[in-house]
Amino acid sequence: MTMTAFITTLPDIPRVITALAQWLACFVCILPLHRRTNGGRFAALSVGFLAVQCAFLVLTDGFDGIAWNLCMAGAVMLMFLYIIVCAKVRWTTALCCCFTAFIASEFAASFEWQLWCYLHDFLHWDGLVLMTAVLCVVYGILFFFIWQLNRRITIEEEGVSVSSRDAAIIVVAAIIVFAVSNLGFLPIDVPFAGRDSLEIFSMRTLVDLGGLAILYAYQMQWKSVHVQRELETIQTILDSQYVQYKQAQRAVDLINYRYHDLKNHIIALRENVDTPKRQEYLDKLEQEIQDYEALNKTGNQVLDTLLTSKSLHCRQHKIDMTSVIDGKLFDSMDVMDICSIFGNALDNAIECEMKIKDYDKRMIHVDAFSEKSFLIIRFENYYEGNISFDSGLPVTTKTEKAIHGYGLKSLRYTVHKYKGEVQIDARDNWFSLRILIPLGEI
């Protein structure tokens, strides 16, 4: 920043130091986010953006007034470009991260330079080596803490997005903080201008620190509210799946009673009537009953009820559903968790199959087995069209996205309770949901 002539105690902050602060603020902001590139390519992009940021600020050194403000706007645009190119986030999230990173860089650069000037003037530290060492230590400590804060408030986590309103609040707050922190650099004949360089730098550093605290506090509060709402929604879905299970249990019990009575009727008919046609009809009924009795006998009552209910629903809508499940593996799992995993996964698969017009292609397969101390649950179903993913979950195609898509989130939340993982894949018209849970955690 170009200082006016009356500032004599503290020199200008070197543009390279400011550029490095801006780049580091963006870098630690990108690290916790889902990145478009990783490894060598991400490193190359980062080095390239650092070079561009440094070159831009060095070449624009000496600008004052409106030109200086335009220079800062250009630096912010480069920061935004760095985030949006490297991180796979929405533009509102990138904007929020960019302006927060800008205030963080302003604070870091001002604090480091003020500290170095003190060490230089009062302790007589001098030389490029000492200056670089102080820069590395101060920036290392500051941006480590900023990185930790960013990890705690990663906004894109679990698919939570920033609204345009929230992004606008962050942008406006950051601009106000930046403007107030630089009031001291106004010409001396303007109200609120600073009279002493130490006063100006101290005000700038403290205002930037306070502004940074406000920005992070707002984002943490914002995310806390969203997470709380999401947990409440997930709990509602869990309760809903359990209620569906209880209703299905009553329905299946009723069907079992009816089938048992029907068996007795068939036995009575066989004893009283012996015509070939009647005999053939009774044989067919008896076979259907045997097929039903063999349906979804996994060895776990909860699973039997859920799968029978879903199977009857699939038959009604001409969906071919098959399953091979070792129900004994779920004996120690909570009933509500079983309902969440199987209920949400099958509801999602059935909803997908209902969109397929060709009945012959409506297929769902479920299997659950143990392998190498892990419980593996796999749901597969045929699909048509394109499926987009966001944060590892398919993006809902429904209009009201804010109130949909929580079924699979609820499933993943339940799986994480048992220290398991969920992997979703879609290729060659087959949607696959694979769950891996350590058997020791069940």
Side-chain angles (χ1 to χ4, degrees):
M1 179 181 292
T2 301
M3 303 290 184
T4 50
F6 68 88
I7 299 177
T8 56
T9 305
L10 295 179
D12 293 352
I13 302 175
R15 286 303 187 94
V16 173
I17 291 179
T18 301
L20 179 61
Q22 292 174 351
W23 178 82
L24 278 171
C26 291
F27 180 75
V28 297
C29 177
I30 293 170
L31 285 181
L33 297 173
H34 181 60
R35 296 195 293 274
R36 298 182 188 274
T37 57
N38 291 286
R41 189 175 179 184
F42 173 64
L45 279 172
S46 297
V47 171
F49 272 102
L50 174 60
V52 171
Q53 197 82 18
C54 290
F56 176 77
L57 288 183
V58 170
L59 290 174
T60 55
D61 193 10
F63 286 17
D64 205 353
I66 296 176
W68 177 79
N69 287 314
L70 292 175
C71 169
M72 288 295 102
V76 172
M77 289 180 64
L78 287 174
M79 294 171 70
F80 177 78
L81 188 62
Y82 178 32
I83 294 172
I84 206 72
V85 167
C86 294
K88 193 174 183 180
V89 294
R90 299 170 181 84
W91 69 270
T92 52
T93 301
L95 203 62
C96 181
C97 293
C98 172
F99 276 85
T100 304
F102 177 65
I103 297 301
S105 68
E106 286 285 295
F107 164 69
S110 181
F111 177 80
E112 189 280 332
W113 189 244
Q114 191 172 358
L115 180 62
W116 167 250
C117 289
Y118 171 83
L119 295 173
H120 178 271
D121 292 343
F122 293 94
L123 300 183
H124 307 293
W125 287 23
D126 200 2
L128 182 62
V129 174
L130 279 176
M131 181 179 176
T132 304
V134 171
L135 178 69
C136 291
V137 171
V138 174
Y139 274 15
I141 294 173
L142 289 179
F143 286 108
F144 173 79
F145 282 107
I146 293 172
W147 170 58
Q148 291 296 323
L149 280 173
N150 288 332
R151 287 181 62 192
R152 289 179 177 272
I153 63 167
T154 300
I155 298 171
E156 287 286 321
E157 183 181 334
E158 301 294 335
V160 178
S161 60
V162 180
S163 66
S164 300
R165 176 182 174 274
D166 292 318
I169 291 174
I170 292 294
V171 170
V172 171
I175 291 174
I176 292 173
V177 169
F178 175 71
V180 173
S181 68
N182 286 279
L183 281 177
F185 295 105
L186 294 172
I188 195 170
D189 56 346
V190 175
F192 307 109
R195 300 297 188 272
D196 178 78
S197 62
L198 288 175
E199 170 194 326
I200 293 170
F201 263 89
S202 296
M203 182 183 75
R204 180 186 183 187
T205 303
L206 292 174
V207 170
D208 285 337
L209 177 61
L212 191 63
I214 292 172
L215 290 175
Y216 275 120
Y218 174 77
Q219 292 177 58
M220 291 179 73
Q221 176 64 23
W222 175 87
K223 184 180 178 182
S224 176
V225 170
H226 278 259
V227 169
Q228 183 62 35
R229 289 177 181 172
E230 185 167 286
L231 288 175
E232 289 173 357
T233 304
I234 289 173
Q235 187 60 47
T236 300
I237 293 173
L238 286 171
D239 295 338
S240 174
Q241 288 292 343
Y242 183 70
V243 169
Q244 288 182 31
Y245 157 70
K246 298 299 289 183
Q247 292 173 346
Q249 186 181 41
R250 288 192 292 269
V252 170
D253 287 343
L254 181 60
I255 292 172
N256 285 331
Y257 296 148
R258 294 291 175 85
Y259 268 99
H260 184 268
D261 291 341
L262 188 56
K263 284 174 65 177
N264 294 329
H265 294 325
I266 291 172
I267 293 172
L269 286 171
R270 283 187 187 279
E271 293 177 353
N272 297 326
V273 181
D274 196 22
T275 62
K277 191 173 183 179
R278 184 64 60 86
Q279 187 68 30
E280 182 182 349
Y281 176 69
L282 292 173
D283 289 340
K284 183 179 178 181
L285 282 178
E286 190 171 32
Q287 182 60 47
E288 288 180 357
I289 292 171
Q290 290 174 357
D291 291 341
Y292 173 78
E293 287 178 335
L295 183 66
N296 299 317
K297 300 300 181 182
T298 65
N300 182 285
Q301 184 179 358
V302 177
L303 276 175
D304 291 347
T305 302
L306 273 173
L307 293 174
T308 299
S309 174
K310 301 300 181 184
S311 296
L312 292 172
H313 185 68
C314 286
R315 286 188 178 186
Q316 182 182 356
H317 295 281
K318 298 182 180 180
I319 300 172
D320 181 17
M321 175 178 161
T322 58
S323 60
V324 180
I325 298 174
D326 182 0
K328 296 297 183 183
L329 298 171
F330 298 87
D331 285 348
S332 300
M333 184 177 285
D334 185 77
V335 173
M336 290 191 67
D337 294 337
I338 296 175
C339 295
S340 173
I341 293 174
F342 282 86
N344 285 310
L346 288 173
D347 284 346
N348 186 70
I350 292 171
E351 182 181 350
C352 180
E353 298 309 295
M354 295 282 285
K355 300 176 183 177
I356 300 173
K357 295 181 180 180
D358 189 348
Y359 294 144
D360 293 334
K361 294 181 179 180
R362 292 185 173 184
M363 292 176 284
I364 300 174
H365 180 70
V366 187
D367 56 4
F369 54 93
S370 61
E371 184 176 306
K372 296 182 179 179
S373 300
F374 284 93
L375 167 61
I376 300 174
I377 312 170
R378 188 166 50 202
F379 301 88
E380 296 176 324
N381 64 277
Y382 184 84
Y383 77 93
E384 292 178 344
N386 297 319
I387 297 179
S388 301
F389 288 86
D390 184 13
S391 302
L393 294 177
V395 178
T396 179
T397 56
K398 296 177 181 177
T399 305
E400 298 180 353
K401 298 182 184 296
I403 59 175
H404 293 291
Y406 281 98
L408 292 181
K409 283 186 179 181
S410 174
L411 182 150
R412 189 165 66 175
Y413 172 78
T414 301
V415 171
H416 286 173
K417 283 173 55 179
Y418 295 91
K419 299 182 180 179
E421 290 297 333
V422 178
Q423 181 182 7
I424 301 176
D425 188 26
R427 62 178 67 182
D428 300 328
N429 294 109
W430 277 99
F431 182 89
S432 175
L433 190 156
R434 183 183 174 92
I435 299 170
L436 203 68
I437 300 177
L439 287 173
E441 299 297 329
I442 301 178

